[in-house]
Amino acid sequence: MGEFGELARGVLKSGRNLLPVIAVVALFQAVVLREIPEGVLPVIAGLALVAVGIGLFLRGLELSVFPVGRSLANAFAEKGSLPWLLAFGFCLGFAAVIAEPALIAVAHKAQTVSDGLIQAWTLRIVVAGSVGAVVALGILRAVLNHPVHWYLIGGYLLLVPVTYLTPPEVTGLAYDAGAVSANIVTVPLVTALGIGLMASLRGRSVLADGFGLVALAVFAPRVAVQIYGIVVYAFEPAALAGYTGAATAPLPAYDGRAGHAALVLLATDLLRILGNLLPIVAVVLVFQLLVIRRPLLHPHRLVGGFLFLVAGLFAFTEGLHLGLFPIGEHLAAGLAGAGSAVFLYLFVFLLGFAATLVEPALIAVARRAGTLAPRRLHPPLIRGLVALGVGLGLGVGTLRLVTGWPLEHVLVFTVLGLMLLTLLAPRDLVGFSFDLGGIATSDVTVPVIAALGVGLAVALESDDVLLDGFGLVALASLYPIGVVLLYSIFTRAAPSERH
């Protein structure tokens, strides 16, 4: 009964997290579009599945992956085995990103709009490999006690020439891929790894040194995917053009999977999810049993947690396709065709603000940071600042779509602005601020924003949806960094709060 109660509370909490998003959507649907769309019942069912999926998945993480991951990090730190610790960081980062449901969804969307030239599986491998590499690099940085801001400044400055060398059709996708790589699976694992490692090393500040891994995990895919795009475009210069999508985006009726065909499709989805989770399980078992050589504690609990993970991911991904993706595309099309730019900008701002304010990963990290610096980092204030940044980023991204500004210029000027703020900000909050950028675009926000971008590009009759449909997630992850850095500049640390 206790476990069932925990699970029920988690699902109800996930449902509450979606309420602000639903309220914004319902308000604009009723006041601006003034209609009840057809096919709304499958969307409601999809939202319910998303809530159930998030609750099940987070409970599964608490029961299985988190305890084993923390014990492995502590064991490596106790042994002083740096090579094995780096190998564990790489494998954990790679396995976690491969299993990211938001990355899977965006990768398949990219494959669709590029007519198969951007391969979903290849894109996921590129993103996961780059994240694994920088997680290992971030662990090495922490052990060597190098300041994280120099890694971030150097890395993001590298983005500037790479961005201008990359085909414009790939730039938005690459920046979005970085944002979605830090999501429902990766953020808790990587954050726990960084904080746990710093807590195990003497003389280190958990606030100044424990954060930054998520920021690196967001940065690396943006470079790696752009290089992948350069290679694809070099072999097929016209490969990425030509997808225009539908002229309108009504809420689709559920396709009526029935009988044998429905069972086959559902079984295929379930097997795919099992395949996505197996890398994480393999990494944990190999390092636990063959490297650390310690038996698993509470194996029955771990098995139960794994089953929750599978069920949660299954419900979450099915809910995405039924609920969140259609909502974004439908409302984007309706508002873009309503003839009022003010309503469009207001909608994207409020939708981003509402979705971010209730991100589970953001809530958890803000609470943790509040215990490290209670005078500066009030959890509700941090969540509000991040939500404000996401809303502003979406507003700028929508303005870019409407005006036709080149995406690479907007992204590069934003990155250069962040680098300036980084040099001015207190050093102990730089890693934390950049981590918040990745955490802001998580399991609730990403599906809505990704669908919103593609829907806007289609509704505005873009000649190339791959060029114009991606980039919103990237801007939504960059602007919160700037807002929190500005806040940190104006609220310098009190000496008593330095750890």
Side-chain angles (χ1 to χ4, degrees):
M1 183 66 182
E3 183 58 46
F4 178 79
E6 287 288 337
L7 187 59
R9 281 192 290 272
V11 171
L12 289 174
K13 190 174 182 180
S14 299
R16 288 198 301 271
N17 288 341
L18 289 173
L19 288 179
V21 179
I22 296 171
V24 170
V25 170
L27 176 65
F28 277 83
Q29 188 74 52
V31 175
V32 181
L33 300 184
R34 299 180 181 179
E35 64 177 8
I36 299 176
E38 297 180 2
V40 70
L41 292 180
V43 171
I44 294 174
L47 292 172
L49 278 176
V50 168
V52 171
I54 293 174
L56 288 170
F57 187 84
L58 292 178
R59 186 57 184 163
L61 286 178
E62 293 172 2
L63 292 174
S64 58
V65 177
F66 283 170
V68 176
R70 282 194 296 265
S71 67
L72 282 170
N74 291 335
F76 284 127
E78 291 171 5
K79 283 192 168 188
S81 177
L82 182 58
W84 279 118
L85 180 59
L86 296 179
F88 173 66
F90 174 84
C91 293
L92 188 66
F94 185 95
V97 172
I98 280 291
E100 280 292 0
L103 176 61
I104 294 168
V106 169
H108 282 289
K109 183 73 73 173
Q111 179 171 300
T112 300
V113 300
S114 67
D115 199 23
L117 267 299
I118 296 291
Q119 292 291 326
W121 178 248
T122 304
L123 182 64
R124 289 169 59 196
I125 291 291
V126 169
V127 173
S130 62
V131 169
V134 295
V135 168
L137 177 65
I139 291 172
L140 181 63
R141 175 210 68 81
V143 172
L144 297 177
N145 201 21
H146 291 168
V148 69
H149 65 279
W150 292 122
Y151 283 74
L152 293 171
I153 290 174
Y156 274 88
L157 288 180
L158 176 64
L159 273 179
V160 175
V162 172
T163 297
Y164 281 117
L165 290 172
T166 301
E169 291 87 349
V170 181
T171 301
L173 171 63
Y175 275 78
D176 282 3
V180 301
S181 66
N183 213 273
I184 189 172
V185 184
T186 314
V187 165
L189 286 171
V190 173
T191 301
L193 180 62
I195 292 177
L197 181 61
M198 287 303 100
S200 302
L201 298 175
R202 293 183 179 180
R204 302 297 173 82
S205 166
V206 175
L207 178 60
D209 300 321
F211 293 97
L213 279 179
V214 173
L216 292 173
V218 169
F219 148 75
R222 289 173 173 163
V223 174
V225 173
Q226 288 190 98
I227 294 173
Y228 169 52
I230 291 172
V231 173
V232 169
Y233 200 82
F235 283 102
E236 190 67 52
L240 303 178
Y243 179 89
T244 57
T248 58
L251 286 181
Y254 189 48
D255 60 11
R257 297 184 192 180
H260 180 70
L263 293 177
V264 170
L265 288 172
L266 291 174
T268 302
D269 290 343
L270 186 58
L271 289 174
R272 186 184 302 117
I273 288 167
L274 284 170
N276 293 334
L277 288 177
L278 284 179
I280 297 179
V281 176
V283 168
V284 168
L285 291 179
V286 167
F287 280 88
Q288 179 76 33
L289 301 178
L290 301 182
V291 179
I292 301 298
R293 296 183 180 179
R294 294 180 182 175
L296 290 169
L297 298 176
H298 311 295
H300 297 294
R301 188 180 176 91
L302 297 178
V303 171
F306 177 74
L307 294 177
F308 280 146
L309 289 177
V310 174
L313 270 179
F314 179 73
F316 182 81
T317 53
E318 292 295 318
L320 287 185
H321 296 291
L322 276 176
L324 292 182
F325 270 133
I327 280 178
E329 294 182 0
H330 168 74
L331 275 169
L335 288 168
S340 175
V342 173
F343 282 130
L344 180 60
Y345 297 137
L346 183 61
F347 168 71
V348 296
F349 175 84
L350 290 178
L351 186 65
F353 188 93
T356 307
L357 201 61
V358 293
E359 281 289 0
L362 175 61
I363 294 170
V365 172
R367 286 176 179 171
R368 176 60 174 153
T371 64
L372 300 174
R375 293 186 183 180
R376 286 181 293 168
L377 304 181
H378 304 289
L381 175 61
I382 294 301
R383 290 167 55 199
L385 290 172
V386 174
L388 174 63
V390 171
L392 291 174
L394 289 181
V396 171
T398 304
L399 180 63
R400 183 202 72 81
L401 275 173
V402 173
T403 59
W405 293 342
L407 177 61
E408 61 270 23
H409 294 340
V410 177
L411 291 171
V412 165
F413 280 116
T414 301
V415 167
L416 292 176
L418 291 181
M419 296 306 98
L420 177 61
L421 292 176
T422 301
L423 292 173
L424 299 174
R427 296 289 174 260
D428 61 340
L429 290 184
V430 169
F432 174 66
S433 300
F434 273 83
D435 276 5
L436 289 176
I439 295 167
T441 48
S442 191
D443 50 275
V444 177
T445 318
V446 165
V448 174
I449 296 176
L452 183 67
V454 174
L456 280 172
V458 171
L460 295 172
E461 299 181 351
S462 168
D463 294 328
D464 190 341
V465 172
L466 186 62
L467 175 62
D468 294 328
F470 292 97
L472 279 182
V473 177
L475 290 168
S477 73
L478 290 173
Y479 273 75
I481 302 173
V483 171
V484 179
L485 285 174
L486 279 171
Y487 168 75
S488 71
I489 291 170
F490 289 107
T491 56
R492 294 279 175 173
S496 61
E497 285 191 355
R498 294 187 183 275
H499 295 280

